[in-house]
PDB file of all heavy atoms in Angstrom:
ATOM      1  N   ARG A  30      21.318  41.600 -36.127  1.00  0.00           N
ATOM      2  CA  ARG A  30      21.899  42.530 -37.098  1.00  0.00           C
ATOM      3  C   ARG A  30      21.777  41.956 -38.509  1.00  0.00           C
ATOM      4  O   ARG A  30      21.424  42.658 -39.459  1.00  0.00           O
ATOM      5  CB  ARG A  30      23.370  42.783 -36.773  1.00  0.00           C
ATOM      6  CG  ARG A  30      23.590  43.816 -35.716  1.00  0.00           C
ATOM      7  CD  ARG A  30      24.274  45.046 -36.269  1.00  0.00           C
ATOM      8  NE  ARG A  30      23.623  45.572 -37.446  1.00  0.00           N
ATOM      9  CZ  ARG A  30      22.776  46.598 -37.451  1.00  0.00           C
ATOM     10  NH1 ARG A  30      22.497  47.209 -36.327  1.00  0.00           N
ATOM     11  NH2 ARG A  30      22.235  47.034 -38.569  1.00  0.00           N
ATOM     12  N   GLU A  31      22.071  40.664 -38.636  1.00  0.00           N
ATOM     13  CA  GLU A  31      21.944  40.006 -39.939  1.00  0.00           C
ATOM     14  C   GLU A  31      20.487  39.981 -40.385  1.00  0.00           C
ATOM     15  O   GLU A  31      20.178  40.188 -41.571  1.00  0.00           O
ATOM     16  CB  GLU A  31      22.500  38.586 -39.847  1.00  0.00           C
ATOM     17  CG  GLU A  31      22.450  37.817 -41.151  1.00  0.00           C
ATOM     18  CD  GLU A  31      23.034  36.418 -41.019  1.00  0.00           C
ATOM     19  OE1 GLU A  31      23.690  36.133 -40.001  1.00  0.00           O
ATOM     20  OE2 GLU A  31      22.814  35.608 -41.938  1.00  0.00           O
ATOM     21  N   TYR A  32      19.580  39.734 -39.452  1.00  0.00           N
ATOM     22  CA  TYR A  32      18.152  39.691 -39.770  1.00  0.00           C
ATOM     23  C   TYR A  32      17.685  41.049 -40.294  1.00  0.00           C
ATOM     24  O   TYR A  32      16.971  41.137 -41.299  1.00  0.00           O
ATOM     25  CB  TYR A  32      17.375  39.302 -38.511  1.00  0.00           C
ATOM     26  CG  TYR A  32      15.958  38.847 -38.771  1.00  0.00           C
ATOM     27  CD1 TYR A  32      15.699  37.593 -39.303  1.00  0.00           C
ATOM     28  CD2 TYR A  32      14.873  39.667 -38.466  1.00  0.00           C
ATOM     29  CE1 TYR A  32      14.403  37.159 -39.537  1.00  0.00           C
ATOM     30  CE2 TYR A  32      13.573  39.244 -38.685  1.00  0.00           C
ATOM     31  CZ  TYR A  32      13.349  37.991 -39.229  1.00  0.00           C
ATOM     32  OH  TYR A  32      12.069  37.576 -39.461  1.00  0.00           O
ATOM     33  N   ALA A  33      18.104  42.123 -39.631  1.00  0.00           N
ATOM     34  CA  ALA A  33      17.735  43.462 -40.093  1.00  0.00           C
ATOM     35  C   ALA A  33      18.408  43.787 -41.419  1.00  0.00           C
ATOM     36  O   ALA A  33      17.824  44.462 -42.266  1.00  0.00           O
ATOM     37  CB  ALA A  33      18.110  44.496 -39.039  1.00  0.00           C
ATOM     38  N   GLY A  34      19.627  43.275 -41.612  1.00  0.00           N
ATOM     39  CA  GLY A  34      20.346  43.528 -42.850  1.00  0.00           C
ATOM     40  C   GLY A  34      19.669  42.948 -44.073  1.00  0.00           C
ATOM     41  O   GLY A  34      19.946  43.359 -45.209  1.00  0.00           O
ATOM     42  N   ALA A  35      18.762  41.988 -43.849  1.00  0.00           N
ATOM     43  CA  ALA A  35      18.004  41.400 -44.956  1.00  0.00           C
ATOM     44  C   ALA A  35      16.744  42.212 -45.265  1.00  0.00           C
ATOM     45  O   ALA A  35      15.834  41.715 -45.945  1.00  0.00           O
ATOM     46  CB  ALA A  35      17.637  39.956 -44.625  1.00  0.00           C
ATOM     47  N   GLY A  36      16.673  43.446 -44.754  1.00  0.00           N
ATOM     48  CA  GLY A  36      15.545  44.318 -45.061  1.00  0.00           C
ATOM     49  C   GLY A  36      14.426  44.261 -44.054  1.00  0.00           C
ATOM     50  O   GLY A  36      13.319  44.738 -44.324  1.00  0.00           O
ATOM     51  N   ARG A  37      14.687  43.701 -42.884  1.00  0.00           N
ATOM     52  CA  ARG A  37      13.671  43.645 -41.823  1.00  0.00           C
ATOM     53  C   ARG A  37      13.986  44.680 -40.752  1.00  0.00           C
ATOM     54  O   ARG A  37      14.984  45.387 -40.826  1.00  0.00           O
ATOM     55  CB  ARG A  37      13.619  42.238 -41.242  1.00  0.00           C
ATOM     56  CG  ARG A  37      13.315  41.164 -42.291  1.00  0.00           C
ATOM     57  CD  ARG A  37      13.252  39.800 -41.645  1.00  0.00           C
ATOM     58  NE  ARG A  37      12.960  38.736 -42.591  1.00  0.00           N
ATOM     59  CZ  ARG A  37      13.868  37.935 -43.155  1.00  0.00           C
ATOM     60  NH1 ARG A  37      15.158  38.103 -42.860  1.00  0.00           N
ATOM     61  NH2 ARG A  37      13.514  36.998 -43.995  1.00  0.00           N
ATOM     62  N   THR A  38      13.137  44.752 -39.744  1.00  0.00           N
ATOM     63  CA  THR A  38      13.276  45.741 -38.681  1.00  0.00           C
ATOM     64  C   THR A  38      13.245  45.023 -37.333  1.00  0.00           C
ATOM     65  O   THR A  38      12.447  44.100 -37.136  1.00  0.00           O
ATOM     66  CB  THR A  38      12.136  46.771 -38.751  1.00  0.00           C
ATOM     67  OG1 THR A  38      12.144  47.368 -40.054  1.00  0.00           O
ATOM     68  CG2 THR A  38      12.295  47.850 -37.705  1.00  0.00           C
ATOM     69  N   VAL A  39      14.101  45.458 -36.414  1.00  0.00           N
ATOM     70  CA  VAL A  39      14.209  44.818 -35.103  1.00  0.00           C
ATOM     71  C   VAL A  39      14.186  45.889 -34.015  1.00  0.00           C
ATOM     72  O   VAL A  39      14.865  46.920 -34.126  1.00  0.00           O
ATOM     73  CB  VAL A  39      15.522  44.006 -34.982  1.00  0.00           C
ATOM     74  CG1 VAL A  39      15.632  43.375 -33.593  1.00  0.00           C
ATOM     75  CG2 VAL A  39      15.593  42.923 -36.061  1.00  0.00           C
ATOM     76  N   ALA A  40      13.420  45.643 -32.962  1.00  0.00           N
ATOM     77  CA  ALA A  40      13.442  46.488 -31.761  1.00  0.00           C
ATOM     78  C   ALA A  40      13.553  45.578 -30.545  1.00  0.00           C
ATOM     79  O   ALA A  40      12.803  44.607 -30.426  1.00  0.00           O
ATOM     80  CB  ALA A  40      12.196  47.359 -31.668  1.00  0.00           C
ATOM     81  N   LEU A  41      14.492  45.899 -29.660  1.00  0.00           N
ATOM     82  CA  LEU A  41      14.790  45.062 -28.503  1.00  0.00           C
ATOM     83  C   LEU A  41      14.741  45.900 -27.233  1.00  0.00           C
ATOM     84  O   LEU A  41      15.271  47.014 -27.196  1.00  0.00           O
ATOM     85  CB  LEU A  41      16.197  44.472 -28.611  1.00  0.00           C
ATOM     86  CG  LEU A  41      16.636  43.851 -29.933  1.00  0.00           C
ATOM     87  CD1 LEU A  41      18.132  43.598 -29.909  1.00  0.00           C
ATOM     88  CD2 LEU A  41      15.880  42.552 -30.166  1.00  0.00           C
ATOM     89  N   VAL A  42      14.144  45.358 -26.191  1.00  0.00           N
ATOM     90  CA  VAL A  42      14.322  45.927 -24.858  1.00  0.00           C
ATOM     91  C   VAL A  42      15.604  45.325 -24.286  1.00  0.00           C
ATOM     92  O   VAL A  42      15.754  44.103 -24.231  1.00  0.00           O
ATOM     93  CB  VAL A  42      13.126  45.606 -23.944  1.00  0.00           C
ATOM     94  CG1 VAL A  42      13.444  45.993 -22.496  1.00  0.00           C
ATOM     95  CG2 VAL A  42      11.876  46.331 -24.421  1.00  0.00           C
ATOM     96  N   LEU A  43      16.540  46.183 -23.903  1.00  0.00           N
ATOM     97  CA  LEU A  43      17.827  45.732 -23.388  1.00  0.00           C
ATOM     98  C   LEU A  43      18.168  46.471 -22.100  1.00  0.00           C
ATOM     99  O   LEU A  43      17.771  47.621 -21.901  1.00  0.00           O
ATOM    100  CB  LEU A  43      18.947  45.984 -24.400  1.00  0.00           C
ATOM    101  CG  LEU A  43      18.924  45.194 -25.715  1.00  0.00           C
ATOM    102  CD1 LEU A  43      20.025  45.687 -26.637  1.00  0.00           C
ATOM    103  CD2 LEU A  43      19.080  43.695 -25.454  1.00  0.00           C
ATOM    104  N   HIS A  44      18.940  45.787 -21.236  1.00  0.00           N
ATOM    105  CA  HIS A  44      19.531  46.441 -20.072  1.00  0.00           C
ATOM    106  C   HIS A  44      21.033  46.606 -20.230  1.00  0.00           C
ATOM    107  O   HIS A  44      21.639  47.429 -19.536  1.00  0.00           O
ATOM    108  CB  HIS A  44      19.230  45.645 -18.799  1.00  0.00           C
ATOM    109  CG  HIS A  44      17.862  45.892 -18.251  1.00  0.00           C
ATOM    110  ND1 HIS A  44      17.470  47.114 -17.746  1.00  0.00           N
ATOM    111  CD2 HIS A  44      16.786  45.079 -18.131  1.00  0.00           C
ATOM    112  CE1 HIS A  44      16.208  47.041 -17.338  1.00  0.00           C
ATOM    113  NE2 HIS A  44      15.770  45.820 -17.564  1.00  0.00           N
ATOM    114  N   ASP A  45      21.646  45.821 -21.110  1.00  0.00           N
ATOM    115  CA  ASP A  45      23.083  45.887 -21.309  1.00  0.00           C
ATOM    116  C   ASP A  45      23.412  47.065 -22.236  1.00  0.00           C
ATOM    117  O   ASP A  45      23.153  47.021 -23.437  1.00  0.00           O
ATOM    118  CB  ASP A  45      23.594  44.577 -21.909  1.00  0.00           C
ATOM    119  CG  ASP A  45      25.106  44.469 -21.912  1.00  0.00           C
ATOM    120  OD1 ASP A  45      25.755  45.415 -22.407  1.00  0.00           O
ATOM    121  OD2 ASP A  45      25.638  43.453 -21.446  1.00  0.00           O
ATOM    122  N   LEU A  46      23.989  48.113 -21.660  1.00  0.00           N
ATOM    123  CA  LEU A  46      24.254  49.326 -22.437  1.00  0.00           C
ATOM    124  C   LEU A  46      25.290  49.090 -23.515  1.00  0.00           C
ATOM    125  O   LEU A  46      25.223  49.691 -24.596  1.00  0.00           O
ATOM    126  CB  LEU A  46      24.712  50.448 -21.503  1.00  0.00           C
ATOM    127  CG  LEU A  46      23.764  50.812 -20.358  1.00  0.00           C
ATOM    128  CD1 LEU A  46      24.336  51.974 -19.548  1.00  0.00           C
ATOM    129  CD2 LEU A  46      22.371  51.144 -20.874  1.00  0.00           C
ATOM    130  N   ASN A  47      26.263  48.218 -23.246  1.00  0.00           N
ATOM    131  CA  ASN A  47      27.302  47.974 -24.240  1.00  0.00           C
ATOM    132  C   ASN A  47      26.790  47.196 -25.440  1.00  0.00           C
ATOM    133  O   ASN A  47      27.175  47.474 -26.580  1.00  0.00           O
ATOM    134  CB  ASN A  47      28.492  47.255 -23.602  1.00  0.00           C
ATOM    135  CG  ASN A  47      29.420  48.228 -22.916  1.00  0.00           C
ATOM    136  OD1 ASN A  47      29.801  49.233 -23.489  1.00  0.00           O
ATOM    137  ND2 ASN A  47      29.760  47.941 -21.680  1.00  0.00           N
ATOM    138  N   LEU A  48      25.950  46.193 -25.213  1.00  0.00           N
ATOM    139  CA  LEU A  48      25.364  45.483 -26.340  1.00  0.00           C
ATOM    140  C   LEU A  48      24.528  46.435 -27.183  1.00  0.00           C
ATOM    141  O   LEU A  48      24.548  46.370 -28.419  1.00  0.00           O
ATOM    142  CB  LEU A  48      24.508  44.317 -25.858  1.00  0.00           C
ATOM    143  CG  LEU A  48      25.247  43.108 -25.270  1.00  0.00           C
ATOM    144  CD1 LEU A  48      24.249  42.071 -24.785  1.00  0.00           C
ATOM    145  CD2 LEU A  48      26.196  42.489 -26.292  1.00  0.00           C
ATOM    146  N   ALA A  49      23.803  47.323 -26.524  1.00  0.00           N
ATOM    147  CA  ALA A  49      22.998  48.301 -27.258  1.00  0.00           C
ATOM    148  C   ALA A  49      23.896  49.223 -28.085  1.00  0.00           C
ATOM    149  O   ALA A  49      23.632  49.477 -29.267  1.00  0.00           O
ATOM    150  CB  ALA A  49      22.150  49.110 -26.286  1.00  0.00           C
ATOM    151  N   ALA A  50      24.972  49.721 -27.470  1.00  0.00           N
ATOM    152  CA  ALA A  50      25.862  50.642 -28.171  1.00  0.00           C
ATOM    153  C   ALA A  50      26.585  49.962 -29.327  1.00  0.00           C
ATOM    154  O   ALA A  50      26.793  50.557 -30.379  1.00  0.00           O
ATOM    155  CB  ALA A  50      26.869  51.226 -27.180  1.00  0.00           C
ATOM    156  N   ARG A  51      26.969  48.711 -29.120  1.00  0.00           N
ATOM    157  CA  ARG A  51      27.785  47.998 -30.108  1.00  0.00           C
ATOM    158  C   ARG A  51      26.970  47.549 -31.318  1.00  0.00           C
ATOM    159  O   ARG A  51      27.441  47.608 -32.457  1.00  0.00           O
ATOM    160  CB  ARG A  51      28.440  46.793 -29.428  1.00  0.00           C
ATOM    161  CG  ARG A  51      29.129  45.805 -30.338  1.00  0.00           C
ATOM    162  CD  ARG A  51      30.392  46.380 -30.960  1.00  0.00           C
ATOM    163  NE  ARG A  51      31.044  45.395 -31.806  1.00  0.00           N
ATOM    164  CZ  ARG A  51      30.741  45.155 -33.067  1.00  0.00           C
ATOM    165  NH1 ARG A  51      29.758  45.838 -33.642  1.00  0.00           N
ATOM    166  NH2 ARG A  51      31.389  44.255 -33.771  1.00  0.00           N
ATOM    167  N   PHE A  52      25.735  47.092 -31.100  1.00  0.00           N
ATOM    168  CA  PHE A  52      25.016  46.403 -32.167  1.00  0.00           C
ATOM    169  C   PHE A  52      23.793  47.151 -32.702  1.00  0.00           C
ATOM    170  O   PHE A  52      23.250  46.745 -33.733  1.00  0.00           O
ATOM    171  CB  PHE A  52      24.567  45.020 -31.693  1.00  0.00           C
ATOM    172  CG  PHE A  52      25.696  44.052 -31.494  1.00  0.00           C
ATOM    173  CD1 PHE A  52      26.207  43.799 -30.233  1.00  0.00           C
ATOM    174  CD2 PHE A  52      26.264  43.398 -32.580  1.00  0.00           C
ATOM    175  CE1 PHE A  52      27.261  42.904 -30.052  1.00  0.00           C
ATOM    176  CE2 PHE A  52      27.312  42.512 -32.408  1.00  0.00           C
ATOM    177  CZ  PHE A  52      27.816  42.256 -31.140  1.00  0.00           C
ATOM    178  N   CYS A  53      23.343  48.189 -32.021  1.00  0.00           N
ATOM    179  CA  CYS A  53      22.087  48.826 -32.420  1.00  0.00           C
ATOM    180  C   CYS A  53      22.335  50.150 -33.131  1.00  0.00           C
ATOM    181  O   CYS A  53      23.228  50.916 -32.765  1.00  0.00           O
ATOM    182  CB  CYS A  53      21.194  49.049 -31.200  1.00  0.00           C
ATOM    183  SG  CYS A  53      20.696  47.499 -30.394  1.00  0.00           S
ATOM    184  N   ASP A  54      21.542  50.404 -34.158  1.00  0.00           N
ATOM    185  CA  ASP A  54      21.638  51.653 -34.908  1.00  0.00           C
ATOM    186  C   ASP A  54      21.127  52.826 -34.097  1.00  0.00           C
ATOM    187  O   ASP A  54      21.648  53.933 -34.202  1.00  0.00           O
ATOM    188  CB  ASP A  54      20.809  51.555 -36.200  1.00  0.00           C
ATOM    189  CG  ASP A  54      21.234  50.394 -37.062  1.00  0.00           C
ATOM    190  OD1 ASP A  54      22.388  50.396 -37.513  1.00  0.00           O
ATOM    191  OD2 ASP A  54      20.420  49.469 -37.260  1.00  0.00           O
ATOM    192  N   ARG A  55      20.087  52.575 -33.315  1.00  0.00           N
ATOM    193  CA  ARG A  55      19.441  53.623 -32.529  1.00  0.00           C
ATOM    194  C   ARG A  55      19.187  53.138 -31.129  1.00  0.00           C
ATOM    195  O   ARG A  55      18.897  51.962 -30.910  1.00  0.00           O
ATOM    196  CB  ARG A  55      18.094  54.024 -33.141  1.00  0.00           C
ATOM    197  CG  ARG A  55      18.196  54.807 -34.420  1.00  0.00           C
ATOM    198  CD  ARG A  55      16.823  55.012 -34.995  1.00  0.00           C
ATOM    199  NE  ARG A  55      15.936  55.712 -34.100  1.00  0.00           N
ATOM    200  CZ  ARG A  55      14.605  55.584 -34.126  1.00  0.00           C
ATOM    201  NH1 ARG A  55      14.038  54.758 -34.980  1.00  0.00           N
ATOM    202  NH2 ARG A  55      13.856  56.276 -33.311  1.00  0.00           N
ATOM    203  N   LEU A  56      19.288  54.071 -30.180  1.00  0.00           N
ATOM    204  CA  LEU A  56      18.948  53.807 -28.794  1.00  0.00           C
ATOM    205  C   LEU A  56      17.804  54.734 -28.412  1.00  0.00           C
ATOM    206  O   LEU A  56      17.867  55.950 -28.671  1.00  0.00           O
ATOM    207  CB  LEU A  56      20.153  54.041 -27.875  1.00  0.00           C
ATOM    208  CG  LEU A  56      21.195  52.922 -27.780  1.00  0.00           C
ATOM    209  CD1 LEU A  56      21.794  52.567 -29.128  1.00  0.00           C
ATOM    210  CD2 LEU A  56      22.303  53.317 -26.805  1.00  0.00           C
ATOM    211  N   VAL A  57      16.766  54.162 -27.830  1.00  0.00           N
ATOM    212  CA  VAL A  57      15.592  54.918 -27.403  1.00  0.00           C
ATOM    213  C   VAL A  57      15.538  54.824 -25.883  1.00  0.00           C
ATOM    214  O   VAL A  57      15.391  53.736 -25.328  1.00  0.00           O
ATOM    215  CB  VAL A  57      14.312  54.333 -28.031  1.00  0.00           C
ATOM    216  CG1 VAL A  57      13.085  55.086 -27.545  1.00  0.00           C
ATOM    217  CG2 VAL A  57      14.407  54.368 -29.553  1.00  0.00           C
ATOM    218  N   LEU A  58      15.690  55.953 -25.212  1.00  0.00           N
ATOM    219  CA  LEU A  58      15.798  55.972 -23.750  1.00  0.00           C
ATOM    220  C   LEU A  58      14.505  56.484 -23.137  1.00  0.00           C
ATOM    221  O   LEU A  58      14.058  57.596 -23.440  1.00  0.00           O
ATOM    222  CB  LEU A  58      16.977  56.861 -23.341  1.00  0.00           C
ATOM    223  CG  LEU A  58      17.283  56.967 -21.846  1.00  0.00           C
ATOM    224  CD1 LEU A  58      17.599  55.603 -21.247  1.00  0.00           C
ATOM    225  CD2 LEU A  58      18.452  57.941 -21.623  1.00  0.00           C
ATOM    226  N   LEU A  59      13.912  55.657 -22.274  1.00  0.00           N
ATOM    227  CA  LEU A  59      12.680  56.013 -21.567  1.00  0.00           C
ATOM    228  C   LEU A  59      12.954  56.222 -20.085  1.00  0.00           C
ATOM    229  O   LEU A  59      13.816  55.561 -19.497  1.00  0.00           O
ATOM    230  CB  LEU A  59      11.637  54.900 -21.699  1.00  0.00           C
ATOM    231  CG  LEU A  59      11.073  54.542 -23.070  1.00  0.00           C
ATOM    232  CD1 LEU A  59      10.031  53.437 -22.918  1.00  0.00           C
ATOM    233  CD2 LEU A  59      10.461  55.743 -23.755  1.00  0.00           C
ATOM    234  N   ASP A  60      12.186  57.092 -19.475  1.00  0.00           N
ATOM    235  CA  ASP A  60      12.198  57.258 -18.026  1.00  0.00           C
ATOM    236  C   ASP A  60      10.815  57.689 -17.590  1.00  0.00           C
ATOM    237  O   ASP A  60      10.252  58.644 -18.127  1.00  0.00           O
ATOM    238  CB  ASP A  60      13.235  58.296 -17.609  1.00  0.00           C
ATOM    239  CG  ASP A  60      13.430  58.358 -16.096  1.00  0.00           C
ATOM    240  OD1 ASP A  60      13.257  57.301 -15.442  1.00  0.00           O
ATOM    241  OD2 ASP A  60      13.750  59.439 -15.574  1.00  0.00           O
ATOM    242  N   GLU A  61      10.260  56.950 -16.653  1.00  0.00           N
ATOM    243  CA  GLU A  61       8.917  57.233 -16.136  1.00  0.00           C
ATOM    244  C   GLU A  61       7.908  57.384 -17.265  1.00  0.00           C
ATOM    245  O   GLU A  61       7.036  58.252 -17.240  1.00  0.00           O
ATOM    246  CB  GLU A  61       8.930  58.485 -15.247  1.00  0.00           C
ATOM    247  CG  GLU A  61       9.790  58.297 -14.000  1.00  0.00           C
ATOM    248  CD  GLU A  61       9.775  59.501 -13.085  1.00  0.00           C
ATOM    249  OE1 GLU A  61       9.340  60.592 -13.549  1.00  0.00           O
ATOM    250  OE2 GLU A  61      10.171  59.368 -11.927  1.00  0.00           O
ATOM    251  N   GLY A  62       8.054  56.520 -18.271  1.00  0.00           N
ATOM    252  CA  GLY A  62       7.092  56.473 -19.360  1.00  0.00           C
ATOM    253  C   GLY A  62       7.259  57.516 -20.437  1.00  0.00           C
ATOM    254  O   GLY A  62       6.486  57.538 -21.400  1.00  0.00           O
ATOM    255  N   ARG A  63       8.252  58.358 -20.318  1.00  0.00           N
ATOM    256  CA  ARG A  63       8.456  59.425 -21.300  1.00  0.00           C
ATOM    257  C   ARG A  63       9.754  59.206 -22.070  1.00  0.00           C
ATOM    258  O   ARG A  63      10.729  58.663 -21.536  1.00  0.00           O
ATOM    259  CB  ARG A  63       8.477  60.788 -20.611  1.00  0.00           C
ATOM    260  CG  ARG A  63       7.146  61.156 -19.975  1.00  0.00           C
ATOM    261  CD  ARG A  63       7.196  62.532 -19.343  1.00  0.00           C
ATOM    262  NE  ARG A  63       5.923  62.886 -18.725  1.00  0.00           N
ATOM    263  CZ  ARG A  63       4.895  63.440 -19.348  1.00  0.00           C
ATOM    264  NH1 ARG A  63       5.013  63.743 -20.641  1.00  0.00           N
ATOM    265  NH2 ARG A  63       3.772  63.713 -18.718  1.00  0.00           N
ATOM    266  N   LEU A  64       9.757  59.665 -23.300  1.00  0.00           N
ATOM    267  CA  LEU A  64      10.940  59.568 -24.138  1.00  0.00           C
ATOM    268  C   LEU A  64      11.927  60.653 -23.722  1.00  0.00           C
ATOM    269  O   LEU A  64      11.635  61.842 -23.806  1.00  0.00           O
ATOM    270  CB  LEU A  64      10.546  59.742 -25.601  1.00  0.00           C
ATOM    271  CG  LEU A  64      11.637  59.533 -26.644  1.00  0.00           C
ATOM    272  CD1 LEU A  64      12.114  58.091 -26.645  1.00  0.00           C
ATOM    273  CD2 LEU A  64      11.119  59.906 -28.028  1.00  0.00           C
ATOM    274  N   VAL A  65      13.122  60.221 -23.288  1.00  0.00           N
ATOM    275  CA  VAL A  65      14.164  61.144 -22.836  1.00  0.00           C
ATOM    276  C   VAL A  65      15.141  61.454 -23.960  1.00  0.00           C
ATOM    277  O   VAL A  65      15.561  62.594 -24.136  1.00  0.00           O
ATOM    278  CB  VAL A  65      14.913  60.555 -21.622  1.00  0.00           C
ATOM    279  CG1 VAL A  65      16.098  61.423 -21.226  1.00  0.00           C
ATOM    280  CG2 VAL A  65      13.960  60.367 -20.447  1.00  0.00           C
ATOM    281  N   ALA A  66      15.533  60.424 -24.706  1.00  0.00           N
ATOM    282  CA  ALA A  66      16.502  60.611 -25.782  1.00  0.00           C
ATOM    283  C   ALA A  66      16.300  59.534 -26.826  1.00  0.00           C
ATOM    284  O   ALA A  66      15.880  58.417 -26.517  1.00  0.00           O
ATOM    285  CB  ALA A  66      17.934  60.564 -25.241  1.00  0.00           C
ATOM    286  N   ASP A  67      16.624  59.860 -28.073  1.00  0.00           N
ATOM    287  CA  ASP A  67      16.473  58.938 -29.193  1.00  0.00           C
ATOM    288  C   ASP A  67      17.553  59.292 -30.206  1.00  0.00           C
ATOM    289  O   ASP A  67      17.539  60.377 -30.788  1.00  0.00           O
ATOM    290  CB  ASP A  67      15.074  59.103 -29.801  1.00  0.00           C
ATOM    291  CG  ASP A  67      14.823  58.182 -30.982  1.00  0.00           C
ATOM    292  OD1 ASP A  67      15.737  57.428 -31.356  1.00  0.00           O
ATOM    293  OD2 ASP A  67      13.707  58.227 -31.544  1.00  0.00           O
TER     294      ASP A  67
END
């Protein structure tokens, strides 16, 4: 979060839904190779 706050961009593959919800601006949800929600 601090790294992105310095004007950079971060994308992470995560399995922990709470860490994603707590710390990420956007969640990108894939299923079977297709974008389900963003």
Side-chain angles (χ1 to χ4, degrees):
R30 278 246 51 99
E31 181 179 347
Y32 196 75
R37 302 181 180 98
T38 304
V39 179
L41 314 168
V42 170
L43 293 174
H44 280 294
D45 191 308
L46 303 182
N47 277 311
L48 289 177
R51 170 69 179 85
F52 291 100
C53 297
D54 303 297
R55 288 174 59 206
L56 279 58
V57 178
L58 182 60
L59 296 182
D60 188 31
E61 296 182 345
R63 295 182 180 274
L64 186 65
V65 174
D67 180 359

